[in-house]
Amino acid sequence: MKFFFRIFQVCIVILLCGGCGREMPVARNYVDTAMGTVIRLGLYCAQEEAADNFVHKVMELLEDLEQESLSWRSETSEVYGINSGAGSAEGVLLTEELAALLRECMELSEASEGAFDVTIGALTGLWNMDQLAAGMEADEIQLPSEEMVARALRRCGYEAVRLERGQDGEERIYLPEGMAIDLGACGKGYALTKILPLLDMEPEITGAVVAVGGSVLTYGVKPDGTSWKVGITDPFDAASFIGTLSLDGQWCVSTSGDYERYVEVDGVRYHHILDAGTGYPARSGVRSVTVLSRDGLAGDSLSTACFVLGPEKGMELAASYGAETLFVMWDGELILSEGMKEYWTGKMG
Ligand code: ADP
Ligand code: MG
């Protein structure tokens, strides 16, 4: 008995000493802005320097993505070059990265029958919701006329775009004159897809939650073993949550809502998610959609598509991508996909 007790004691000492060399990860929080939105990082990392370096890398990545690739506003970006080359017979040469991204976007446009459509630039430019929502007085707001909307609508439509790999092996995009690409509906989710490998490369970070605007990535584990909790904004009171999702490991939670950027004129809400069928802000009875997926790009694109499609078609589309959905409707009803219920704590539909 004494012998076994001694062995037990030795084991305890070995176990404790084994842990001595390893520091416990500490929660570290960072807030910054990039891509026109708020970036929040919650990192579990033992070393402050490693966490700081990681945040620096992420901010650099986001800045480069915006300035060099995705932004239709930045004159140095690839999307700006594509839009400037609209109508040219020889098309515009694409980097491998943007070609792959645009191909995925086109696939989702087809699958959603145009509810998600990155060729919506002429319409988003016309509505210019950022400006409209920037605190103007109601009598200063000038909404576009029906004729202007109809004209812009004729300059949208993913079916009119060709992506082709030439004999030289290079990919080109052929965008009809007057058309413009706007990656606003998927850029933040795409950014999360690019942040994920950076996390994989940083062994000191054992768990993380990264939010790029309304798209949130969870990663790894918490030191206490509990699940990640992602709060879902209440569209009727954007300062509070209607519930939370409890998630283990790597997920992406993407929310699109009509409370983000909007103006109200004569009791009508004009918001930033447009229906490429009508040219007007989508009226599907939805106030917000949350999509739970593994992949950031799919999740962000789907949340916009689902907002336009409404719960029935939206849920079906998301399911075909293996994603779960939560719809908050204008009448306050909550509609959750079956799989979503497993992660949800809050009011049930
Ligand atoms: P947020 O940018 O608030 O996260 P979304 O992901 O839903 O919201 O994206 C909305 C943005 O996407 C708009 O600001 C606009 O630039 C663009 N957009 C609006 N409607 C559509 C649409 N039907 N398809 C593709 N992009 C859209
Ligand atoms: Mg989106």
Side-chain angles (χ1 to χ4, degrees):
M1 189 62 200
K2 215 169 163 188
F3 173 71
F4 283 114
F5 183 66
R6 201 10 77 90
I7 289 193
F8 178 70
Q9 272 184 325
V10 169
C11 286
I12 291 287
V13 170
I14 289 173
L15 274 175
L16 286 176
C17 286
C20 289
R22 232 186 266 153
E23 293 169 65
M24 277 296 277
V26 177
R28 301 171 195 280
N29 295 301
Y30 302 81
V31 183
D32 209 332
T33 53
M35 300 181 92
T37 193
V38 181
I39 315 297
R40 289 176 202 281
L41 296 106
L43 306 176
Y44 282 98
C45 185
Q47 288 181 7
E48 191 174 3
E49 205 187 331
D52 287 350
N53 284 342
F54 177 79
V55 174
H56 186 71
K57 262 199 258 174
V58 168
M59 294 312 296
E60 228 171 42
L61 170 90
L62 296 178
E63 191 65 24
D64 284 356
L65 255 186
E66 174 81 341
Q67 294 304 320
E68 309 304 327
S69 291
L70 308 185
S71 168
W72 57 264
R73 289 190 186 88
S74 159
E75 291 181 19
T76 50
S77 84
E78 198 173 346
V79 165
Y80 190 95
I82 292 172
N83 291 344
S84 307
S88 84
E90 62 275 16
V92 176
L93 202 61
L94 294 172
T95 57
E96 285 289 329
E97 183 179 347
L98 212 73
L101 172 59
L102 287 171
R103 277 198 189 283
E104 280 203 51
C105 289
M106 292 301 159
E107 265 178 48
L108 205 112
S109 294
E110 249 168 64
S112 68
E113 294 173 352
F116 168 83
D117 189 339
V118 292
T119 67
I120 204 159
L123 265 176
T124 49
L126 174 68
W127 282 99
N128 200 359
M129 213 55 84
D130 286 346
Q131 279 260 289
L132 278 186
M136 274 193 212
E137 295 297 325
D139 56 357
E140 290 174 347
I141 294 168
Q142 269 243 303
L143 294 174
S145 68
E146 277 181 32
E147 201 207 322
M148 286 157 93
V149 172
R151 217 180 308 139
L153 199 53
R154 284 196 288 277
R155 294 193 279 125
C156 300
Y158 67 97
E159 298 105 322
V161 176
R162 277 188 301 137
L163 281 170
E164 274 173 23
R165 193 180 285 279
Q167 284 177 339
D168 52 6
E170 307 272 22
E171 285 215 73
R172 286 185 162 71
I173 185 166
Y174 298 85
L175 197 64
E177 194 166 356
M179 267 201 172
I181 300 284
D182 171 0
L183 297 175
C186 61
K188 296 169 191 127
Y190 181 60
L192 293 183
T193 307
K194 306 253 311 176
I195 290 171
L196 187 56
L198 294 185
L199 281 163
D200 282 333
M201 282 185 322
E202 183 43 82
E204 290 295 332
I205 298 175
T206 48
V209 178
V210 181
V212 180
S215 292
V216 183
L217 173 76
T218 64
Y219 174 89
V221 289
K222 275 206 247 176
D224 65 4
T226 58
S227 304
W228 301 113
K229 300 270 190 288
V230 179
I232 306 302
T233 301
D234 180 353
F236 295 94
D237 171 16
S240 61
F241 296 133
I242 40 162
T244 52
L245 293 174
S246 301
L247 304 167
D248 295 316
Q250 192 254 298
W251 288 96
C252 174
V253 181
S254 212
T255 301
S256 287
D258 71 1
Y259 53 89
E260 294 278 355
R261 270 170 282 159
Y262 69 93
V263 284
E264 246 161 21
V265 182
D266 298 333
V268 179
R269 178 174 290 231
Y270 295 88
H271 57 81
H272 72 311
I273 303 171
L274 303 173
D275 184 336
T278 64
Y280 283 82
R283 306 235 178 280
S284 49
V286 177
R287 288 225 61 187
S288 82
V289 186
T290 297
V291 173
L292 175 66
S293 62
R294 294 288 182 183
D295 176 56
L297 174 60
D300 195 4
S301 314
L302 283 169
S303 69
T304 307
C306 286
F307 190 101
V308 176
L309 288 172
E312 222 168 283
K313 282 190 174 171
M315 202 180 282
E316 202 179 304
L317 173 71
S320 73
Y321 280 81
E324 302 298 341
T325 41
L326 160 68
F327 292 81
V328 184
M329 306 302 291
W330 257 103
D331 62 7
E333 189 190 1
L334 258 65
I335 303 175
L336 288 84
S337 64
E338 244 347 272
M340 188 66 115
K341 293 177 184 165
E342 190 184 316
Y343 308 101
W344 177 248
T345 308
K347 207 175 91 181
M348 277 288 181

